[in-house]
Amino acid sequence: MKQKIFLETEFMTLGQLLKEINLISSGGQAKWFLAEETVFVDGELEKRRGRKLYPGMMIEIPEVGTFFMVKNKEEQDAAE
C-alpha cells in the first residue's frame, strides 16, 4: 500500500509517523517497534524513533506499506 502523509509542521519524527499510521498506540512503543520490525527511510534501515522526516522522504515498512512525506495539503494547493 502506498500512502501520502501530509505534514502539518516542517517535519515529523519516525515515532510520530508510526503513531499516525496506527502501528503503535503511544510514543513509548516506538523504540520497541523499531527494535523488532524493519523500517527503511529513503532505502536505509532506520532504528531511531527521533529520525526527522521531511517532505520528499519515503518510508518503507515491509508488509505494511510505503509512505511518502509531502507538504501540508493546504500549502501544496496554494503553491499550485
Side-chain angles (χ1 to χ4, degrees):
M1 170 176 93
K2 293 184 179 180
Q3 182 178 343
K4 290 181 180 178
I5 303 294
F6 293 99
L7 291 167
E8 301 295 325
T9 58
E10 181 184 356
F11 65 86
M12 174 185 284
T13 66
L14 184 54
Q16 290 170 323
L17 172 70
L18 296 174
K19 190 172 176 186
E20 176 83 17
I21 60 176
N22 296 316
L23 288 178
I24 60 174
S25 58
S26 72
Q29 294 176 325
K31 187 175 182 178
W32 167 85
F33 182 89
L34 292 169
E36 298 290 323
E37 302 294 331
T38 303
V39 177
F40 296 98
V41 175
D42 288 339
E44 294 185 18
L45 183 64
E46 185 58 71
K47 296 291 183 186
R48 299 173 293 166
R49 66 182 177 169
R51 170 70 188 263
K52 293 179 181 177
L53 307 173
Y54 294 96
M57 296 180 102
M58 180 181 73
I59 296 78
E60 188 176 358
I61 306 171
E63 299 185 26
V64 174
T66 302
F67 304 89
F68 298 98
M69 307 307 291
V70 295
K71 286 184 180 177
N72 178 316
K73 187 164 176 37
E74 293 173 9
E75 289 178 24
Q76 196 173 33
D77 291 344
E80 291 177 354

